[in-house]
Amino acid sequence: MDQLGADLSAFFGEVSGVVWGPFVLIPLLFGVGLFLSIRLRGLQFRKLGAALRLGIIKRRDVGADDGDVSQFQALTTALAATVGTGNIVGVATAIAIGGPGALFWMWVTGLVGMASKYTEAFLGVYYRRTDAAGEKSGGPQYYLERGIRGPLGKVLGLAFTVAAIIASFGIGNMTQGNSVASNLDRSFGVPPWVTGVVLSVFALVVLVGGIKSIGRVTAGFVPIMIVFYVLGALFILVVNVADLPAAIALIFTDAFSGTAATGGFVGSTIIIAVQMGAARGMFSNESGMGSAAIAAAAAKTSHPVRQALVSMTQTFIDTIVVVTFTGLVIVTTGVWDTGEDGAATMTGEAFSHGLPGDWGHYIVTVALAMFAFSTVLGWAYYGERCIERLVGRPGVMPYRVVFSLVVYIGCTVSLEVVWNFSDVMNGLMAIPNLIGLVILSGLVARETKNYLANDPALTATTEEVRAFSPSPFAGEVLTR
C-alpha cells in the first residue's frame, strides 16, 4: 500500500510538472492575463482605487437586491478560499526553489491576473442563474457552456465542473486540514485527531447554512485574520528596515539573473524563478482558475462590471499585500537560502528570527490555521455550486456533509499524493476557463466600455445604473 501511494505520488508529480511547466499553464496564464490587460486597456490599474472603495469601504451596492450576499461578503468568501497555505507555505516554496526573484514573478502574475479575475467575475455574474432553492449559481460551469455555443462550450464547462469538484476535496479541503493539524501539533502539541474533529464540526455548522452563513462568517473572520498576520509581518519589517532596500534590490536583480547555489540552497536559473513564481502565484490568488467567479455570482449587484471590479481587488489583496509581506519577511530575515527541504517551516523560522521569543512560530501557526479554515469554507461553496450544476439541488446537502467529514481525514493522514493530485486538478480547472476567457473577452470588453462611459467613478445609484444599462443578466430559474 505504501508503495502504491509512492507510485501514485510520483505519477501525479510528473503530470503536475508538465501541466505547471514552462510549456502549458505558465505561458497560458501569462499570455491570457496580458491579452486581457491589453483588451481591457489596463483596467486593473485605472480603476483599482475606485474598486477598493466600492468593495471595502462601501461594501454593498445600495438598492441592489438580486443576489444572496453583499459585494463585500462575496469578496471575503473568495478571499477566504485564496488566502490560505499558498500565502505562507507556497511563498516559501517558491523562494526556496526559485530564489528571491520568484517573488517578483509572483507580483507579475498577480498584476496581469487581476485582468483575468475581472473577466471571470464579470462572466460569473452575467451568466448566473437562480437554482431551485432561490440561490444564485454561476461560474465557469455556466458561462463556458452558455457563452460558447456548440459542443466546445459544453465540453469546456463539463471539464471545469468535474475538475473543480475533485479539486475542492483536495486543495480546498484535505491539504488545508493537514497543514492546520501538523502545525498545531508541532507548535502546541494538539493531537491531529482533535484538530480534525474540531474543524469538521465547525465546517459542518457553517456550511449547512449555505452561502449566507459562509458570507457572514467570512465577512467578520477574513479581515481579522489578514490584519493579524500583516501586523506581525509589518513589525518585523520595521525592526529590519535597514535591510529592506537590499532585500528589494535582491528580489529585482534575482528575477532576471537567477541565484547561484549557496550553502544548502538549490541553485536556480531565471527559468525556475519564473516557473515557481507563476505557479505559486496562481496557486495563491487563483486568477484564471475560474473559482472566484462562483463567489462573485452570489453577490447583490446592480451590474456585472461593479462586482467584477470588486472581485479584482481580491488578487491585489492576496498577492500584492499578503504574499508581499510574507516574501519580504523571508528575504529580510535571511532564512530564504536554508534549502528546499526547509520550505514548509521557512515562514515560521523567518517570523521567529524577527520577533522575540517563540512569538513568531505561534503567529504563523495561528495565521495558518485561520487561513486554512477559511479556505475550506470558500472551496466548499465552490464545490457545492458545481455539484448543483452537475446533479441538481438535491446533491448540495449530501456534498456539504461529506465535505465536512473529509476534513477529518485530511487532518489525520499523510497527503503527499493528494498535494500532487490537487495541483493537477487545479491546472485542469484553469485550462478550459482560460480558453473561455479569451473567446468571451469581446463581450466583456464591450460591456465594460459601455458601463464605464456612464459611471467612470463607480458612484451611480442602482436606479441610475438601471436607467443607462437595462439588466442584460437576469438569469433563468433552474428547476431541478
Side-chain angles (χ1 to χ4, degrees):
M1 193 58 128
D2 289 342
Q3 184 58 45
L4 176 61
D7 291 342
L8 286 173
S9 180
F11 171 75
F12 286 120
E14 292 179 6
V15 176
S16 175
V18 173
V19 172
W20 287 99
F23 304 110
V24 184
L25 261 184
I26 290 178
L28 193 58
L29 283 168
F30 272 124
V32 172
L34 185 60
F35 169 77
L36 294 172
S37 295
I38 295 171
R39 186 142 203 189
L40 294 169
R41 298 186 296 171
L43 181 75
Q44 66 267 50
F45 308 110
R46 294 188 292 116
K47 296 298 178 181
L48 178 60
L52 287 169
R53 286 194 301 273
L54 181 61
I56 298 177
I57 297 176
K58 290 186 65 176
R59 297 195 170 196
R60 64 192 185 96
D61 212 345
V62 179
D65 54 6
D66 188 29
D68 301 319
V69 295
S70 70
Q71 289 182 319
F72 180 72
Q73 289 173 331
L75 171 63
T76 56
T77 298
L79 272 172
T82 55
V83 179
T85 56
N87 296 81
I88 296 178
V89 180
V91 177
T93 302
I95 294 176
I97 300 175
L103 183 58
F104 172 86
W105 295 109
M106 292 184 82
W107 291 337
V108 173
T109 302
L111 291 174
V112 299
M114 289 171 70
S116 301
K117 185 79 72 174
Y118 172 88
T119 304
E120 61 195 17
F122 177 98
L123 294 169
V125 177
Y126 192 90
Y127 286 103
R128 69 184 178 182
R129 298 293 183 262
T130 303
D131 70 14
E135 294 182 352
K136 293 299 178 185
S137 190
Q141 71 274 29
Y142 284 99
Y143 64 68
L144 290 174
E145 178 179 349
R146 298 177 183 275
I148 304 171
R149 300 297 182 184
L152 177 61
K154 294 182 183 298
V155 170
L156 293 176
L158 180 61
F160 174 88
T161 303
V162 173
I165 292 171
I166 298 173
S168 72
F169 286 102
I171 207 65
N173 185 322
M174 287 193 286
T175 57
Q176 304 298 327
N178 190 264
S179 295
V180 175
S182 59
N183 276 274
L184 288 178
D185 186 22
R186 184 164 53 246
S187 295
F188 300 105
V190 179
W193 72 267
V194 173
T195 301
V197 170
V198 172
L199 286 184
S200 293
V201 171
F202 281 4
L204 184 60
V205 168
V206 175
L207 298 181
V208 164
I211 183 57
K212 293 182 180 179
S213 175
I214 295 172
R216 285 193 299 269
V217 171
T218 58
F221 184 63
V222 170
I224 292 174
M225 76 178 192
I226 292 177
V227 170
F228 170 78
Y229 180 74
V230 167
L231 284 178
L234 185 61
F235 178 84
I236 295 173
L237 295 180
V238 170
V239 171
N240 295 276
V241 67
D243 299 320
L244 199 53
I248 294 174
L250 177 61
I251 290 167
F252 278 91
T253 56
D254 189 62
F256 298 97
S257 62
T259 304
T262 57
F265 175 69
V266 179
S268 67
T269 66
I270 183 175
I271 297 299
I272 297 177
V274 173
Q275 181 177 346
M276 289 308 303
R280 293 302 96 183
M282 196 264 194
F283 175 85
S284 173
N285 61 52
E286 298 179 13
S287 294
M289 192 184 294
S291 51
I294 301 175
K300 295 178 181 179
T301 184
S302 57
H303 197 279
V305 167
R306 294 172 75 92
Q307 181 56 42
L309 287 167
V310 171
S311 296
M312 178 185 75
T313 65
Q314 172 210 334
T315 298
F316 177 83
I317 295 169
D318 178 278
T319 303
I320 308 304
V321 178
V322 182
V323 164
T324 296
F325 274 103
T326 300
L328 288 177
V329 167
I330 289 172
V331 177
T332 55
T333 54
V335 303
W336 64 270
D337 61 351
T338 55
E340 181 181 351
D341 292 339
T345 59
M346 185 179 290
T347 304
E349 290 299 319
F351 271 71
S352 292
H353 275 71
L355 294 173
D358 295 323
W359 280 101
H361 263 294
Y362 294 150
I363 286 178
V364 171
T365 297
V366 173
L368 186 61
M370 292 192 295
F371 286 7
F373 180 66
S374 72
T375 298
V376 168
L377 297 181
W379 269 89
Y381 181 66
Y382 296 163
E384 78 165 54
R385 290 295 89 188
C386 288
I387 283 287
E388 182 272 330
R389 179 69 185 96
L390 200 62
V391 302
R393 184 72 195 189
V396 171
M397 188 57 72
Y399 170 86
R400 292 171 180 170
V401 174
V402 172
F403 187 91
S404 300
L405 295 176
V406 170
V407 174
Y408 177 84
I409 298 174
C411 291
T412 54
V413 300
S414 176
L415 290 178
E416 183 179 356
V417 65
V418 177
W419 275 102
N420 290 334
F421 182 68
S422 296
D423 276 344
V424 175
M425 288 299 104
N426 282 353
L428 295 182
M429 284 174 62
I431 290 172
N433 183 61
L434 290 168
I435 294 171
L437 296 187
V438 172
I439 294 174
L440 296 172
S441 62
L443 164 69
V444 179
R446 182 177 66 253
E447 292 291 338
T448 299
K449 181 180 179 181
N450 292 340
Y451 181 88
L452 293 178
N454 290 280
D455 184 24
L458 307 182
T459 57
T461 65
T462 298
E463 291 72 21
E464 289 171 338
V465 171
R466 289 170 179 166
F468 67 73
S469 180
S471 177
F473 58 100
E476 67 192 49
V477 175
L478 303 175
T479 57
R480 60 177 183 163

